Amino acid sequence: EIVMTQSPATLSVSPGERATLSCRASQSVGSKLAWYQQKPGQAPRLLIYGAYTRATDIPGRFSGSGSGTEFTLTISSLQSEDFAVYYCQQYSHWPPWTFGQGTRVEIK
Amino acid sequence: EVQLVESGGGLVQPGGSLRLSCAGSGFTFSSYEIYWVRQAPGKGLEWVSYISGSGSSIYHADSVKGRFTISRDNAQNSVYLQMNSLRAEDTAVYYCARDPVIGADYFDSWGQGTLVTVSS
């Protein structure tokens, strides 16, 4: 099973600032990495797939990078609606499909 | 518009059973793989079960293997999760999800979730 590890657990950022979230896989997943955003009481929303491709209707301030075992989600200028929990997920080696434990982005 | 709607959650005693349903609309249901993903209160996301479009391929997480069974009825545009021998640690919101194309293996459409509480 591939273990996904996200850091940091919590990120405190001021509106308008850049946020950088990390995700590490226990073995290479190539580019088969997705990022999701989840707000309280809501289902997760797909942001990024294929490590760097934005999903439909996702704003350009969200960008993904990386391959192999190291990945990054960058939010270039945080808006109020971006404060949420973010999860990475690998879909290279399955089953199981595995998620990171999440990074909470909170207002500083 | 693609829609997934879960139902069937509720309060059940340890050792009890529950059947969740996931109804799909707005797409050719039989062409898509469906996944169940759960989230315990205040915790992260955990994949639970997978079923292929035809129902011929099925996988379950080790944590539920032997207790949960996924199935589908494409004539009813529905996927089911039969949960037996429920434990306190199965308490979670259960989401069904779909991938955008066959074999994509990530999830672009999610239901709103249904809460399962296992408690005496």
Side-chain angles (χ1 to χ4, degrees):
Chain A
E1 171 178 334
I2 295 181
V3 177
M4 307 301 293
T5 303
Q6 292 184 241
S7 61
T10 303
L11 189 60
S12 298
V13 186
S14 299
E17 290 189 339
R18 174 187 296 257
T20 302
L21 290 67
S22 295
C23 175
R24 174 177 292 179
S26 60
Q27 64 187 83
S28 178
V29 299
S31 294
K32 295 195 172 184
L33 190 285
W35 289 95
Y36 301 87
Q37 176 194 67
Q38 188 179 34
K39 297 179 181 179
Q42 296 184 17
R45 177 175 72 144
L46 177 68
L47 297 176
I48 301 284
Y49 62 93
Y52 57 84
T53 303
R54 277 190 301 277
T56 302
D57 295 331
I58 300 303
R61 62 181 181 273
F62 291 92
S63 62
S65 63
S67 65
T69 62
E70 300 284 342
F71 300 89
T72 300
L73 175 69
T74 301
I75 312 171
S76 60
S77 177
L78 270 157
Q79 307 297 301
S80 57
E81 61 267 28
D82 300 335
F83 293 96
V85 180
Y86 293 83
Y87 295 94
C88 61
Q89 177 232 336
Q90 70 82 22
Y91 52 98
S92 176
H93 296 79
W94 50 261
W97 291 261
T98 50
F99 295 87
Q101 78 280 19
T103 290
R104 179 180 306 277
V105 177
E106 63 176 26
I107 300 174
K108 187 175 182 180
Chain B
E1 179 195 3
V2 172
Q3 272 204 315
L4 295 168
V5 178
E6 303 94 339
S7 61
L11 175 64
V12 61
Q13 292 188 337
S17 298
L18 214 54
R19 189 177 87 150
L20 306 183
S21 299
C22 170
S25 61
F27 62 101
T28 304
F29 190 78
S30 61
S31 295
Y32 287 84
E33 303 152 313
I34 299 291
Y35 306 75
W36 285 99
V37 175
R38 69 183 179 184
Q39 186 169 38
K43 302 298 184 182
L45 302 169
E46 179 191 17
W47 166 76
V48 174
S49 298
Y50 157 96
I51 189 165
S52 63
S54 66
S56 61
S57 183
I58 286 173
Y59 300 106
H60 295 288
D62 286 347
S63 58
V64 306
K65 203 171 290 183
R67 300 186 299 122
F68 289 13
T69 303
I70 191 171
S71 63
R72 68 190 297 157
D73 182 345
N74 286 335
Q76 298 294 320
N77 285 357
S78 292
V79 166
Y80 307 101
L81 187 66
Q82 178 66 44
M83 305 186 296
N84 298 330
S85 303
L86 282 160
R87 306 167 179 167
E89 55 264 35
D90 296 318
T91 294
V93 174
Y94 285 73
Y95 297 100
C96 62
R98 193 206 76 168
D99 48 11
V101 294
I102 298 168
D105 299 321
Y106 55 90
F107 317 126
D108 79 326
S109 298
W110 297 68
Q112 83 288 353
T114 187
L115 176 62
V116 173
T117 303
V118 184
S119 175
S120 54

